[in-house]
Amino acid sequence: MSLKILLALDFDHTIVSENTDVYVQQLAPGSKLPQSIKQTYCSEIGWTKFMGLVFAYLFENGIRQRDIEECMKSIPLTQGIKELLLGLPDYFEIIIISDSNSVLIDYILEAKDLKDCFSAVFTNPASYTSEGKLILEAYHLQDWCNLSTRNLCKGHILQEYILQRQKAGVSFEHVAYVGDGKNDLCPITKLREQDFAFPRIGYQLMKEIDNLQQNSHPLALKAQVVPWSDGIEIFEALKKLKI
C-alpha cells in the first residue's frame, strides 16, 4: 500500500477569491439579473437549476462561450493559493470538490496554469449546446445528508474518493480539507483525529464550526481545526507533515 497525504479544496472563495456563479452574472445587461430570474430561486428548484436559467438568460442576451471564458479568466486567485498548490511535495494528492461547474472551473485552472496540480475535480457537469448555450447537470441527486445541497454532498464525494484510492493501493496518512462555506461542513465531519480542517476566517464555515464547538453538538469534529486567511498559512501547516 502506497502512503500519501490528501488535500481536498473547495473552489469558490477558496482557490479563487470570488464565487464563480455570482461573478458570471455581471455579464447580464446592466450587470444585473431581472427580477423574473431572481424570483425563480428557492430551495425547491435548487442552485444548479437556477444557474441553468441564468446561463439561458445570458445566452438570450448575446453572451457566448468566449464572453464567459474571458469573464472567468479575470477572477483572481485567493492570495497564497498558487504558492500552496505548486509548493507541496509529490506525496500530496490534490483534488477539488466544488458546487460550481466543470466549464467555469476548467477555464480558470487553464488560465492560471494550475490544471496539472489536481488528480481529480468533482463538480456539477456542464457543456455547451450546438447553439452555444451553457447547460448544467447536477453532480448527483442525494437525500441522505441534510448538511448538503441535493445536487452535491461533498462528504460523500470525499469518502468515495478515499475508498476508490484504497482499492487502487493508495492510503492517506492524513487528509486535509480547505473550504469556506456551509456546504463544506459535511466533509470535515468525516475527518479523523490525524486529519486537518482549514476553514477560511470570516466565512460561514468558520461560524458553523464555532457553533458546533460551543454547543457540544453531536457532530463534534475529530480533525484539527486550522483557520486560514491566506494560502501560505495552509502551506506552512501542511509542509510539516511527513509520510
Side-chain angles (χ1 to χ4, degrees):
M1 185 74 72
S2 173
L3 283 179
K4 287 191 171 186
I5 298 172
L6 177 63
L7 173 60
L9 301 102
D10 174 44
F11 195 74
D12 293 340
H13 291 304
T14 298
I15 292 177
V16 292
S17 63
E18 302 284 344
N19 181 315
T20 49
D21 284 340
V22 174
Y23 196 83
V24 77
Q25 294 174 28
Q26 68 183 266
L27 295 175
S31 299
K32 291 182 180 180
L33 295 176
Q35 202 61 30
S36 59
I37 297 289
K38 290 181 180 179
Q39 289 174 345
T40 61
Y41 178 70
C42 61
S43 57
E44 285 76 20
I45 187 175
W47 185 257
T48 303
K49 287 186 178 180
F50 168 72
M51 284 307 301
L53 295 175
V54 170
F55 285 117
Y57 176 76
L58 293 178
F59 179 76
E60 290 164 6
N61 284 274
I63 299 302
R64 296 296 181 262
Q65 180 174 346
R66 183 65 177 170
D67 303 308
I68 295 172
E69 182 176 359
E70 290 302 315
C71 179
M72 290 299 102
K73 286 180 178 180
S74 70
I75 298 180
L77 295 172
T78 300
Q79 186 172 346
I81 284 293
K82 191 162 192 174
E83 291 82 352
L84 165 67
L85 296 174
L86 297 177
L88 290 173
D90 290 342
Y91 52 81
F92 277 83
E93 194 163 301
I94 311 176
I95 64 173
I96 292 170
I97 308 177
S98 168
D99 203 5
S100 180
N101 71 70
S102 58
V103 166
L104 301 189
I105 290 175
D106 193 59
Y107 283 154
I108 294 169
L109 295 183
E110 191 77 46
K112 309 301 184 187
D113 200 23
L114 292 174
K115 217 169 179 183
D116 292 341
C117 293
F118 300 97
S119 299
V121 176
F122 300 95
T123 188
N124 301 297
S127 59
Y128 287 96
T129 65
S130 57
E131 293 82 15
K133 179 171 68 175
L134 186 59
I135 56 173
L136 310 180
E137 299 175 52
Y139 178 83
H140 56 205
L141 291 176
Q142 64 89 17
D143 58 5
W144 58 79
C145 179
N146 58 15
L147 294 177
S148 305
T149 56
R150 281 203 71 205
N151 65 289
L152 196 85
C153 175
K154 294 186 176 186
H156 176 79
I157 293 170
L158 181 64
Q159 289 183 309
E160 286 290 302
Y161 184 78
I162 292 170
L163 181 60
Q164 172 196 339
R165 296 299 285 138
Q166 284 177 340
K167 290 178 180 177
V170 176
S171 179
F172 296 113
E173 184 80 6
H174 303 282
V175 176
Y177 187 92
V178 183
D180 71 285
K182 187 174 182 179
N183 65 353
D184 294 309
L185 182 61
C186 178
I188 66 173
T189 66
K190 313 299 184 186
L191 300 178
R192 308 157 298 176
E193 291 181 359
Q194 68 265 41
D195 298 333
F196 296 83
F198 289 92
R200 192 172 183 188
I201 295 169
Y203 287 77
Q204 187 61 36
L205 178 59
M206 189 77 253
K207 297 175 185 176
E208 298 292 331
I209 291 174
D210 287 343
N211 183 54
L212 289 184
Q213 294 175 332
Q214 291 169 10
N215 297 302
S216 301
H217 196 279
L219 282 175
L221 305 180
K222 297 177 182 177
Q224 301 174 60
V225 177
V226 184
W228 69 282
S229 57
D230 184 304
I232 298 297
E233 295 167 330
I234 304 169
F235 177 73
E236 291 296 329
L238 293 181
K239 74 177 185 179
K240 301 172 185 175
L241 301 179
K242 307 295 181 184
I243 57 172

